Every structure is written in structure tokens, then in C-alpha cells.
Amino acid sequence: MYAEVMIATNTFFNYTVLAFANRIGWIENKKRYLLLSAFVAGLITVVFSNHFITLFLTFFLMIGIAFWKKRTQIVKAISLTLLASIFAGGLLTAIAPMYHNASNSFMIINYALIATGGLYLLTKHVLSLHISQSERELIYPSSIKLFNQTKELTLFIDSGNVCTEPLSNDPVHFIAAEALRPILPELLYDVINSWDSTHYKGLDMLPKEYASKVRLIPIATVQKEKSWVIGIKFDEWVVNDQPLPKGYIVLTRGKDKFPHEADGILHSSSYYHLKKRSAK
């Protein structure tokens, strides 16, 4: 049983550092290769843990399996995986004295969870730095398609926008109502413009072809109060010549609220999506 726990824990840890390198390096390799690589490396590590040279070779085998389809980025993958391993190792070394009386299984599982949590926070921090350091580069031209109508928009990626539609977890983008008014059906625009988030009135007035395109989405105000707004599922959205993943838009009053005179703000995940696709 102990060996199984060790293999599972090593696989979990290996996958975490590989996923860190995959995301931070914009490598975008498929997750199944990362998982296979993590398992093989975890199995070899447990079986041959007494041989240092085997551990050294296992690291490069793990990188080879995980990123064999991205050979041009293999050096970057090695560097970032080493960085993640050193960071996680240092974190575990720092907390090791807290577990000197704990059982081996409890300690191993906690180590894995803490290392994963630390790398997750590091990933979020690095991505936020990417965004904040290149803020002026985050203005993008775009073309959105709604109800068979197309509109050109200028957009800004906001690192603070993490709003998602709760059922699908799809990203939510915010667009000035005046920018989309020319292509929105008049009835739908009127319902959204007169929407009262406290009484939820108006949605029952929409025809079926419109109702199937909208969702009620919870958002938090600056005062931390919860409010419900109407989100519209867009048909197609091309930003900087690249299609955005499916998602929703919420119309807002006042275009002047957006930075750099943009027509709207994109979800923070759009930066990662656009960046990784351009890095292919």
C-alpha cells in the first residue's frame, strides 16, 4: 500500500510541475502526454529510488515524454520544470520540521497538496505579472458576430476581470452597450437596458430565439454586493485574428469607464489564450 501511495504522490507532483512549465511557457502540449509522463516518472522514481543516476535520467525521460511534440521548445520546458521543482522543493524543505511527528502517508499527501498549491499561486502571480508589465500591448482589434450581425470593436484585456458564467464556467466579457446597439435586436436591447437586477423583470418578454442566447450571471460590485446581470452568448468573436473560446458578454453603461478608450474589456483568461496561440 505504501508503494501505491508513493507512486500516486510522485505522479501528482510530477504532473503539477509539468503543467506549470506547460502553461507559463505557453507550450500548450496536450494534458494526456503530461499525465503519461508524470506516471512513468513516478513509477521509475519509486522503483529505483536508491539510484541517483536513475533519478537524473528519469527527469529527462519525463521531459521527453511530456514535450516530445514540442521539440523546438524543449529547452524552455527543461528550464521551467527545473524552476518549478526547485520552488516546490524549497517550499517543502521549509515546512518539513512541522511534520516530524506525522505518519509517512499523512506527510506525503500534505507535501503534495502544499507543493501543488504553491505552484498554483506562483502560476497565477507570474501570469498577472505578464499582464501588468505589458498593459499597453493589451489593446486588440476584434470582430464580434451576434444574431448574424458583425461589429468591429477595440478591446482591452483586464487582469481584474475573472467573472465566469457559473454553470459552464465560460468567461464573461464586458462591452459598452452603445458599441453593440447597432447590431442588437431592438427588443433585446430594450430589455437589457431596462433590466432591474432586484426584480428580474423583462426576460419573460423575450422571444425564444433570443431567450436561448441569454443567461443570468452573478457579479460582485465594488461594494462586494452580489448582483445579477444578463449575459449574451456570442456566435463568434475574432480577436487579433484569433477566435476566442465560447463565452458571454455583458453590456455596460458608459464607454468612458474602459481604459484606453476601448469599447470593452475581455476576461483575464483571454491574455493567456491569445498569447499561447501566437506562440505556436
Side-chain angles (χ1 to χ4, degrees), residues 2-277:
Y2 179 74
E4 286 86 345
V5 172
M6 286 293 294
I7 292 172
T9 304
N10 272 279
T11 299
F12 187 62
F13 179 83
N14 292 339
Y15 179 81
T16 302
V17 298
L18 290 170
F20 171 88
N22 196 45
R23 185 166 190 187
I24 294 299
W26 320 107
I27 300 173
E28 200 190 4
N29 206 13
K30 293 181 179 179
K31 293 180 180 179
R32 64 173 178 264
Y33 295 124
L34 306 187
L35 186 58
L36 174 63
S37 170
F39 173 73
V40 171
L43 180 63
I44 295 175
T45 300
V46 172
V47 175
F48 300 101
S49 57
N50 294 327
H51 304 277
F52 177 78
I53 188 63
T54 303
L55 300 180
F56 180 77
L57 294 175
T58 300
F59 174 81
F60 289 99
L61 176 64
M62 180 176 73
I63 295 293
I65 295 174
F67 301 109
W68 70 274
K69 294 193 73 174
K70 303 287 183 176
R71 297 180 186 86
T72 58
Q73 302 189 62
I74 201 75
V75 175
K76 180 166 61 174
I78 292 173
S79 301
L80 289 171
T81 305
L82 274 174
L83 173 65
S85 301
I86 292 171
F87 172 81
L91 181 63
L92 297 182
T93 300
I95 66 170
M98 300 170 56
Y99 291 89
H100 67 281
N101 291 325
S103 66
N104 287 336
S105 296
F106 179 80
M107 180 179 67
I108 290 170
I109 293 173
N110 272 263
Y111 274 12
L113 293 175
I114 291 170
T116 302
L119 286 171
Y120 172 78
L121 293 175
L122 179 62
T123 302
K124 298 285 284 186
H125 180 66
V126 172
L127 290 176
S128 294
L129 285 177
H130 272 302
I131 294 176
S132 61
Q133 289 177 358
S134 56
E135 183 174 288
R136 283 288 175 177
E137 300 175 6
L138 302 182
I139 302 294
Y140 291 101
S142 76
S143 175
I144 188 170
K145 185 177 181 181
L146 280 171
F147 304 102
N148 295 318
Q149 300 289 323
T150 303
K151 184 73 168 66
E152 303 295 322
L153 299 171
T154 300
L155 303 168
F156 176 78
I157 298 181
D158 182 7
S159 60
N161 176 20
V162 293
C163 183
T164 57
E165 196 277 322
L167 295 180
S168 62
N169 203 37
D170 291 336
V172 175
H173 315 279
F174 295 86
I175 306 295
E178 62 186 86
L180 288 181
R181 184 168 189 175
I183 66 170
L184 285 177
E186 186 174 351
L187 178 57
L188 178 59
Y189 179 84
D190 291 341
V191 168
I192 294 176
N193 198 45
S194 60
W195 172 251
D196 185 343
S197 61
T198 59
H199 296 96
Y200 311 139
K201 292 181 179 179
L203 286 183
D204 54 340
M205 299 168 52
L206 292 175
K208 287 185 179 179
E209 62 265 31
Y210 300 156
S212 62
K213 288 280 190 179
V214 301
R215 295 285 189 279
L216 285 181
I217 298 174
I219 62 172
T221 64
V222 177
Q223 292 79 23
K224 304 300 182 182
E225 296 178 357
K226 191 174 183 180
S227 178
W228 292 84
V229 296
I230 299 177
I232 307 173
K233 182 182 291 186
F234 54 85
D235 301 325
E236 182 181 299
W237 204 347
V238 177
V239 178
N240 204 32
D241 297 324
Q242 298 177 47
L244 278 187
K246 62 180 181 177
Y248 292 84
I249 59 172
V250 169
L251 301 186
T252 67
R253 296 185 178 92
K255 179 180 175 181
D256 57 341
K257 295 180 180 178
F258 299 134
H260 309 302
E261 301 181 349
D263 295 311
I265 56 175
L266 293 172
H267 190 271
S268 59
S269 64
S270 302
Y271 176 81
Y272 169 63
H273 175 79
L274 295 172
K275 182 74 174 179
K276 72 180 182 181
R277 289 181 71 89

